[in-house]
Amino acid sequence: MEKLTGLKKIKTAVFISGTGSNLKNIIKFSKIIKSPISIDLIISNTNKAKGLRFADQFNIKKKIFNFKDFKNIEKKILILLKKDKIKFICLAGYMKILSKNFIKKFDGKIINIHPSLLPKYRGLNTHSRAINNKDKFAGCTVHYVTAKLDSGRKILQKRIKITAKDDPTSLAKKVLKQEHKLYPAAIMKIFN
Ligand code: GAR
């Protein structure tokens, strides 16, 4: 695949904590010729993350880091990233906050998807907060990761209408469907 383009894809790690639907979607995207990235490593903070099965399914290296000893764990992750020549990181439902030091080591090279129209609703429970506030729109945002939570520069954002029938679950489902379009589009935007 890479031979056809004559270009080397950027070695990328995806960090997850849960279902991994964005991970699966990014892996599929990475396999198309025009994708600027290849997924070479999957990192999870828990062995309970369902998304880890995609590592086996797509034959990608996976590593689980249990975050009880936070500082040393990040050091170990950095060593692994260096060893595997990872140059770019996609956070996809990764529910740990990375330290300032870690982010500095990958400055401008870590992106995240967040299920809200940032800067609205940083943090958790974005959909119930949007519904409780009677917002007309929810959405998702792909942004650069900085030391301040969910505050880095926006890359792409998608607005989704909230209807009277929506509850947090139905809204999360609608937003997730759009996340799967937005994340690859944001990656393309960065590297083109
Ligand atoms: C996604 O909705 C993602 O935006 C959100 O977690 C979900 C993960 O789904 N991320 C955050 O809330 C990060 N603050 P997935 O595991 O199926 O990709």
Side-chain angles (χ1 to χ4, degrees):
M1 196 184 283
E2 283 168 10
K3 269 185 201 147
L4 284 175
T5 63
L7 296 171
K8 262 226 145 81
K9 294 190 180 190
I10 297 150
K11 280 181 174 277
T12 299
V14 183
F15 287 30
I16 62 164
S17 300
T19 314
S21 71
N22 275 293
L23 165 67
K24 182 183 180 194
N25 187 61
I26 295 168
I27 294 171
K28 285 192 161 172
F29 161 72
S30 75
K31 291 183 180 295
I32 65 174
I33 289 172
K34 67 174 184 178
S35 164
I37 62 165
S38 60
I39 306 305
D40 298 279
L41 180 63
I42 295 164
I43 287 182
S44 173
N45 62 301
T46 165
N47 60 7
K48 295 199 172 63
K50 285 200 186 129
L52 284 168
R53 71 195 155 104
F54 298 121
D56 304 327
Q57 189 178 322
F58 292 96
N59 202 17
I60 297 168
K61 181 172 171 180
K62 68 176 177 209
K63 190 91 186 160
I64 297 143
F65 288 97
N66 202 310
F67 262 72
K68 278 181 189 135
D69 184 8
F70 192 75
K71 257 197 166 157
N72 281 330
I73 290 296
E74 281 201 339
K75 224 181 258 173
K76 283 181 191 160
I77 296 178
L78 284 167
I79 290 167
L80 176 63
L81 294 174
K82 195 167 180 191
K83 189 175 138 253
D84 287 3
K85 301 190 167 56
I86 298 295
K87 303 285 185 243
F88 192 66
I89 297 173
C90 296
L91 306 184
Y94 185 65
M95 303 314 262
K96 287 279 170 196
I97 295 173
L98 295 166
S99 74
K100 232 184 230 175
N101 179 54
F102 186 98
I103 293 166
K104 216 164 74 189
K105 295 259 163 52
F106 271 82
D107 195 23
K109 305 278 189 322
I110 311 176
I111 64 172
N112 178 43
I113 190 152
H114 185 74
S116 80
L117 294 170
L118 289 173
K120 259 193 163 177
Y121 310 129
R122 298 183 172 111
L124 300 173
N125 306 316
T126 54
H127 302 310
S128 52
R129 286 154 75 197
I131 289 172
N132 290 343
N133 285 340
K134 305 201 183 333
D135 289 357
K136 288 199 169 68
F137 293 96
C140 44
T141 308
V142 179
H143 64 95
Y144 287 101
V145 172
T146 59
K148 205 169 159 214
L149 182 70
D150 298 331
S151 299
R153 187 158 55 88
K154 244 184 274 175
I155 302 158
L156 279 180
Q157 187 167 70
K158 172 79 183 172
R159 241 168 43 148
I160 294 129
K161 214 170 168 25
I162 302 177
T163 66
K165 280 189 285 181
D166 274 322
D167 59 22
T169 310
S170 70
L171 187 56
K173 215 169 152 185
K174 277 203 296 200
V175 172
L176 196 60
K177 208 168 154 193
Q178 294 305 317
E179 290 184 34
H180 297 162
K181 293 186 186 158
L182 198 70
Y183 218 147
I187 293 166
M188 288 301 284
K189 188 177 171 192
I190 290 172
F191 293 106
N192 282 322

